[in-house]
Amino acid sequence: MFNQIQLPYAYDALEPYIDALTMETHYSKHHATYTKNLNDAVQKAGIEEKEITSLLSSLDSISDEALRKAIRNNGGGFYNHNLYFSTMSPEGGGQPEGAFGNVLEKSFGSFSAFQSELSSLAAGQFGSGWGWLSANPDGKLVLSSSANQDNPLMEGGGFIPILGIDVWEHAYYFKYKNLRVDYIKSFFSVIDWKAVAVNYENVIKG
Ligand code: MN3
């Protein structure tokens, strides 16, 4: 059975960047529903014992079309939000330090070049979706965006997301209304770079 991560901070802990009503609704309604629907779908498909990462990177092996679609949407929603909520912190923001900070700067030229590239991808995603920073086991970093609850695991290129910006309207509309760009800017003030660096190390270790 798949479980939501325990939020490592209170709903209002990311104020003023992410407001408490958005956090509570996002975690206790949206994420909870994806998780419940995923559990229902994998039970129906008889594949409850699969790891979420292998489930999402082998969707083609689910022969029933309705179940495949349900697992893609809700499995993506389950996984993506566990990543999202675990890479934010009231002590977040700034830039990554240490070995991971060096890799990031080397990959994109500078931290500000990285920030502006990822922000553009997230802002430019038409409709609902995500902006991603992903890594592969060789330590290579790439940026991308995807629609709906899709993520880089589903693309089969061997990249695993280590940071995701949710740009569905439910992630920002209470506070930012139509101003997605302002929300993306605020998101950078709460990114937990230590958590992202741990995700990166885990991808390299395999
Ligand atoms: Mn969301």
Side-chain angles (χ1 to χ4, degrees):
M1 175 151 143
F2 297 106
N3 290 302
Q4 289 178 269
I5 59 152
Q6 290 293 314
L7 269 196
Y9 41 77
Y11 288 137
D12 64 357
L14 304 180
E15 297 260 11
Y17 304 107
I18 312 284
D19 60 287
L21 178 62
T22 297
M23 281 300 302
E24 180 170 4
T25 312
H26 206 172
Y27 178 81
S28 73
K29 308 284 190 215
H30 293 277
H31 192 199
T33 301
Y34 292 128
T35 305
K36 183 191 180 300
N37 290 345
L38 171 64
N39 283 319
D40 290 350
V42 291
Q43 197 182 9
K44 271 187 206 152
I47 47 174
E48 303 98 307
E49 75 295 341
K50 266 197 156 184
E51 294 281 338
I52 187 65
T53 47
S54 67
L55 196 58
L56 296 181
S57 49
S58 62
L59 288 167
D60 287 348
S61 65
I62 303 164
S63 53
D64 184 282
E65 194 181 337
L67 285 176
R68 185 168 66 244
K69 194 174 168 192
I71 291 170
R72 179 180 196 131
N73 291 336
N74 294 291
F78 163 76
Y79 175 92
N80 297 347
H81 288 88
N82 269 358
L83 178 66
Y84 177 74
F85 291 127
S86 67
T87 50
M88 293 191 286
S89 163
E91 281 87 48
Q95 300 183 18
E97 292 167 2
F100 176 70
N102 291 335
V103 173
L104 192 83
E105 282 194 8
K106 225 174 168 180
S107 301
F108 302 104
S110 65
F111 180 79
S112 68
F114 154 77
Q115 179 168 352
S116 102
E117 235 180 283
L118 180 55
S119 298
S120 299
L121 281 167
Q125 171 59 42
F126 187 76
S128 297
W130 292 75
W132 300 107
L133 171 65
S134 306
N136 73 5
D138 298 331
K140 191 168 185 273
L141 293 174
V142 294
L143 301 175
S144 63
S145 63
S146 62
N148 304 318
Q149 295 296 351
D150 287 357
N151 70 39
L153 289 169
M154 300 175 188
E155 287 160 22
F159 280 89
I160 298 169
I162 61 172
L163 174 70
I165 307 181
D166 187 346
V167 292
W168 283 57
E169 284 184 345
H170 68 226
Y172 62 88
Y173 211 83
F174 287 137
K175 181 177 171 74
Y176 295 96
K177 302 293 185 276
N178 59 317
L179 302 178
R180 185 189 282 190
V181 168
D182 290 359
Y183 154 71
I184 292 168
K185 203 171 157 206
S186 287
F187 177 77
F188 272 87
S189 297
V190 294
I191 295 176
D192 183 349
W193 285 113
K194 288 190 183 117
V196 178
V198 169
N199 292 343
Y200 179 73
E201 293 304 323
N202 287 338
V203 172
I204 293 178
K205 278 187 266 171

